[in-house]
Amino acid sequence: MKKKFLALALTAVMALSLAACGGDTQSTDTDTSSDASGAETGGDGQTYTVGIIQQVQHEALDAATQGFQDALTELLGDSVTIDPQNASGDSANCTTIANNFVSQGVDLIMANGTTALQAASSASQTIPILGTSITEYGVALGIDGFDGTTGFNVSGTSDLAPLDQQAAMLQEWFPDAQTVGLLYCSSEPNSQYQVDTVQGYLEDMGYTCTQYSFSDSNDLSAVATTACAESDVLYVPTDNTAANNAELIGNIALDAQTPIIAGEEGICKGCGVATLTISYYDIGYATGEMAYEILVNGADPAEMAIQYAPQFTPKYNPTMCEALGLTPPDGYEAIAD
């Protein structure tokens, strides 16, 4: 079911589409009709093919992909064919999938995850591309002075939570801690962006911070073990490799009795005690609505502003809190099993 804020987001996107010049996007007839199910379709019987590149399979990205598919199916019914492909955390797979979609001449590519977006953007400068679960588009795409629109065939939605509030959350839970380890994958530029930013806030609060980076899942265990041994508390950002290995990190943290503040709910469910999180399903759904505006109404992604989640929810992990003897402050929602 559409959320109220998604309806508002769609209104904003439609306003942008009226000002769009079309650029290199593949526009279609703006007349629409409804099929028997009530879904809008192209008035001339236009059909569309949309390819999805999901960087890796884990709870957050899965929810974003599902939201995207649900939105397009509701809006276009049988007029759209969606081809979801999972790269299994391999950047080379992202490139192969993107190139295959370009060869097939799909009408739009949805890239779920930073590496997937980078691969899609490199593969085509003409096919409309929408990202989701991207923390910071300027960092992901190397755009200097990023102002909210890319200026080329890419737009989408962001999963960026207020990093200052995540730092404040860590202080709320652990005011007496002295050392904070920041654990992240060095191959994900948006993870580097997050830990750099959070570190600045934490150091202003008086914490001593150390970054612990792992290159991939192969050295994660060793790095996480060191981080837990040397830190009073860890911070793990919205990092796809960490999300895909959250239970491994959680087991290491439990053995060391080191609590973790996580960047999003999926990671927190596997290894954290608390998070300030968004709904990945909702940002995926909003991305699907943006895709509809591009495919049916000819909106230009170059001029479509990146959309952000309108609300953030403080949550805690009951299992980890119990295991570590922690009581959540007031105002936190329990993460469901």
Side-chain angles (χ1 to χ4, degrees), residues 68-69 95 105 109 170 185 195 203 212 243 276 294:
F68 178 81
Q69 292 177 294
T95 299
I109 296 172
L170 187 149
C185 182
V195 298
E203 289 178 342
Y212 296 90
L276 183 65
I294 293 169

Side-chain angles (χ1 to χ4, degrees), residues 116-204:
L117 180 67
Q118 291 169 332
S121 180
S122 296
S124 177
Q125 287 73 53
T126 55
I127 295 174
I129 297 167
L130 291 175
T132 193
S133 312
I134 312 299
T135 304
E136 217 286 332
Y137 280 76
V139 172
L141 298 173
I143 305 172
D144 293 331
F146 178 66
D147 62 359
T149 58
T150 65
F152 47 93
N153 62 315
V154 176
S155 188
T157 57
S158 170
D159 64 355
L160 179 64
L163 298 177
D164 58 339
Q165 293 182 38
Q166 290 191 348
M169 174 177 285
L170 187 149
Q171 185 182 45
E172 179 183 28
W173 279 73
F174 307 107
D176 297 326
Q178 295 182 337
T179 56
V180 177
L182 301 117
L183 180 68
Y184 69 101
C185 182
S186 59
S187 64
E188 299 193 31
N190 272 315
S191 296
Q192 184 73 66
Y193 167 80
Q194 290 175 82
V195 298
D196 286 345
T197 304
V198 169
Q199 179 171 342
Y201 292 127
L202 291 173
E203 289 178 342
D204 287 343

Side-chain angles (χ1 to χ4, degrees), residues 15 21 92 110:
C21 62
M110 193 279 268

